Amino acid sequence: LQTLPPVDLAEKYFQIFPEEMDPLWQNPCHDKRHKDIWSKEKTCDRLPKFLVIGPQKTGTSALHSFLTLHPAITSNFPSPVTFEEIQFFNGPNYHNGIDWYMDFFPFPSNVSTDFTFEKSANYFDTEVVPKRAAALLPRAKIIALLINPVDRAYSWYQHQRAHQDPAAINHTFHEVVTAGLSASKELLTLQSHSLKPGTYATHLEHWLVHYQLHIVDGALLRSNPALVMDGIQRFLGVTPIFNYTQALVFDEGKGFWCQRLEGGRPKCLGKSKGRKYPEMAPETRAFLTEYYREHNLELLRLLNRLGQALPTWLREELQSTS
Ligand code: A3P
């Protein structure tokens, strides 16, 4: 039997098993061998009970803020880099390991009815995320928000304009979504981030391999958040049932539902949520409605298969193309 010093041994090991160089973190307490070497000082429960996975621009910040009004629901500590979002499962942060992730969550209380969660909106359409999430959080509940992908794409474009993305500043939305493969790299990146998350069924199928999802109509969250929040509370099984009709107020100036403070004053999300921008050009809307037709049909079949209600915007989109 031969052996080597630790670093050489690790190098040898990964030469033989290169596929294991990319870790797949699991809960240390789910395997006795791992639990035995996991520090006694640590807990395995400093992990979220549910995830809001996005996609971006569907109302995820509004949902996040409404959830945190609930007395039994707690979000992660905010990340100094990505604002409130941790973005653990989707990118380089994953290689920081489980301790890094757990540090974003409060120590678990003894109350089993307490719910911690995190919202990272680009989890939805990053293919590796469902597998990674399921390895560490096999019992987590998952919430996805869907709005008309045409509007989602336009909202993303406006978001990038507000962030001074040169591709968004120098090109109309129509140019962005219709650009061909010979366009600049910057333009194609913007096009991809505008269009790809909206192919909902493809992304949802990756999640459905590992989880049952609660799929929320983001348009309904916008128009009737109290109704949507009741459905989410039932899905989570969280108690007490919090009365969102009392907790929220519609702000005419903002044009959105906001938190109702003492005395009835509204506390709304900041300027970057619910931006004012011109209507989408009708020819661009028509182009995108056609672009998403097959994807929306896939979504229709998927929702029917799951026995889930169809969002109004999906019915309307499919009617306008049939
Ligand atoms: P726009 O700014 O394009 O209108 P996200 O938080 O996922 O980035 O989504 C932002 C979108 O949430 C906003 O896009 C807005 O339309 C929508 N939204 C839904 N409910 C909202 C609310 N109560 N307050 C602000 N924005 C809300």
Side-chain angles (χ1 to χ4, degrees):
L1 187 68
Q2 284 186 330
T3 190
L4 291 166
V7 173
D8 299 340
L9 187 63
E11 272 169 10
K12 187 87 200 152
Y13 181 88
F14 288 125
Q15 269 168 21
I16 303 171
F17 303 107
E19 69 284 357
E20 290 190 21
M21 282 170 79
D22 198 21
L24 186 67
W25 308 121
Q26 287 164 286
N27 186 314
C29 296
H30 290 177
D31 183 322
K32 190 180 172 318
R33 292 165 310 166
H34 298 162
K35 197 173 174 184
D36 287 347
I37 55 170
W38 186 243
S39 163
K40 298 275 174 288
E41 312 289 303
K42 296 182 189 177
T43 162
C44 290
D45 302 329
R46 229 177 137 187
L47 290 168
K49 283 199 186 159
F50 72 98
L51 302 176
V52 177
I53 58 171
Q56 287 169 310
K57 309 318 292 174
T58 54
T60 58
S61 306
L63 178 57
H64 180 276
S65 83
F66 298 161
L67 284 165
T68 56
L69 298 179
H70 194 293
I73 297 179
T74 316
S75 177
N76 57 280
F77 306 126
S79 157
V81 184
T82 41
F83 303 101
E84 86 256 25
E85 296 195 350
I86 306 178
Q87 301 186 2
F88 176 62
F89 294 106
N90 58 296
N93 287 336
Y94 190 68
H95 294 99
N96 292 338
I98 324 179
D99 280 327
W100 183 91
Y101 187 51
M102 283 189 175
D103 278 347
F104 281 98
F105 297 96
F107 275 98
S109 69
N110 289 330
V111 189
S112 62
T113 49
D114 274 359
F115 280 71
T116 44
F117 80 104
E118 65 128 334
K119 176 280 264 194
S120 293
N122 45 17
Y123 284 171
F124 179 81
D125 53 293
T126 310
E127 196 173 339
V128 70
V129 172
K131 185 174 125 190
R132 287 178 172 176
L136 186 62
L137 311 169
R139 286 187 287 274
K141 300 206 168 189
I142 308 291
I143 299 174
L145 266 177
L146 306 181
I147 62 169
N148 186 337
V150 177
D151 297 318
R152 199 217 71 84
Y154 192 44
S155 175
W156 177 257
Y157 166 79
Q158 294 295 343
H159 174 92
Q160 289 302 96
R161 270 180 79 88
H163 284 86
Q164 307 298 321
D165 173 351
I169 299 283
N170 295 328
H171 295 277
T172 64
F173 183 52
H174 196 82
E175 285 166 355
V176 172
V177 297
T178 56
L181 288 177
S182 59
S184 69
K185 191 167 156 281
E186 292 71 24
L187 188 52
L188 290 177
T189 301
L190 177 59
Q191 183 187 63
S192 164
H193 287 154
S194 301
L195 298 180
K196 217 181 115 238
T199 56
Y200 293 143
T202 312
H203 305 300
L204 287 169
E205 291 292 3
H206 297 148
W207 284 94
L208 287 167
V209 172
H210 303 279
Y211 290 108
Q212 287 181 349
L213 306 185
H214 187 58
I215 300 169
V216 174
D217 177 359
L220 200 57
L221 177 76
R222 182 173 168 162
S223 61
N224 191 348
L227 182 73
V228 168
M229 295 312 289
D230 282 352
I232 289 179
Q233 292 186 81
R234 277 198 304 278
F235 166 72
L236 294 174
V238 62
T239 52
I241 293 289
F242 186 65
N243 185 341
Y244 279 95
T245 306
Q246 276 173 15
L248 303 178
V249 59
F250 189 79
D251 184 288
E252 295 291 344
K254 174 94 179 164
F256 285 94
W257 287 88
C258 305
Q259 179 187 353
R260 184 201 299 265
L261 296 177
E262 299 263 318
R265 277 180 305 113
K267 183 176 172 222
C268 301
L269 296 178
K271 281 199 187 69
S272 65
K273 303 293 169 183
R275 292 192 171 97
K276 307 251 185 276
Y277 43 78
E279 290 269 302
M280 192 186 315
E283 64 271 26
T284 316
R285 183 169 286 282
F287 173 86
L288 285 177
T289 294
E290 191 50 33
Y291 175 88
Y292 281 116
R293 202 175 74 84
E294 270 308 314
H295 300 289
N296 281 337
L297 277 169
E298 278 294 313
L299 179 63
L300 172 90
R301 287 191 278 269
L302 185 150
L303 292 175
N304 281 338
R305 190 178 90 213
L306 299 179
Q308 296 226 8
L310 302 183
T312 308
W313 58 259
L314 181 60
R315 288 177 192 279
E316 287 171 359
E317 276 304 275
L318 291 172
Q319 268 160 16
S320 68
T321 55
S322 57

